[in-house]
């Protein structure tokens, strides 16, 4: 399904960019231009990112912190 009609960007593509590290609508726009023309898709992109397409800080494992916790 298309998220951005202006640039033909699909929900799958947005999720793929999120998996590659784009975690905000602005980063998605930098990756594929979605949201940079009429802007009607920005809320949809936000919803996709909010549904777990992008890892949250709570789920990202910091190797330095993990080593410190193991040492304690």
């Amino acid at each position: 399904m298309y998220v951005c009609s202006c640039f033909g960007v699909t929900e799958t593509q947005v999720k793929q960019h999120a998996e590659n590290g784009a975690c905000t609508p602005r980063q998605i726009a930098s990756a594929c231009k979605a949201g940079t023309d009429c802007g009607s898709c920005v809320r949809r992109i936000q919803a996709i990112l909010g549904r777990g397409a992008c890892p949250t800080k709570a789920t990202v494992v910091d190797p330095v912190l993990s080593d410190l916790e193991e040492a304690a």
Side-chain angles (χ1 to χ4, degrees):
M1 173 177 269
Y2 285 101
V3 172
C4 176
S5 299
C6 297
F7 293 103
V9 179
T10 65
E11 185 171 341
T12 302
Q13 289 172 304
V14 171
K15 289 179 181 180
Q16 184 63 49
H17 289 302
E19 288 175 15
N20 292 334
C23 294
T24 65
R26 186 170 291 200
Q27 291 172 338
I28 295 293
S30 293
C32 62
K33 294 189 176 184
T36 61
D37 194 24
C38 77
S40 67
C41 60
V42 174
R43 287 187 188 259
R44 181 113 191 244
I45 292 167
Q46 288 172 324
I48 293 168
L49 296 175
R51 289 195 309 244
C54 188
T56 63
K57 290 181 183 179
T59 60
V60 174
V61 177
D62 185 336
V64 174
L65 291 178
S66 294
D67 290 342
L68 292 174
E69 289 173 354
E70 289 177 10

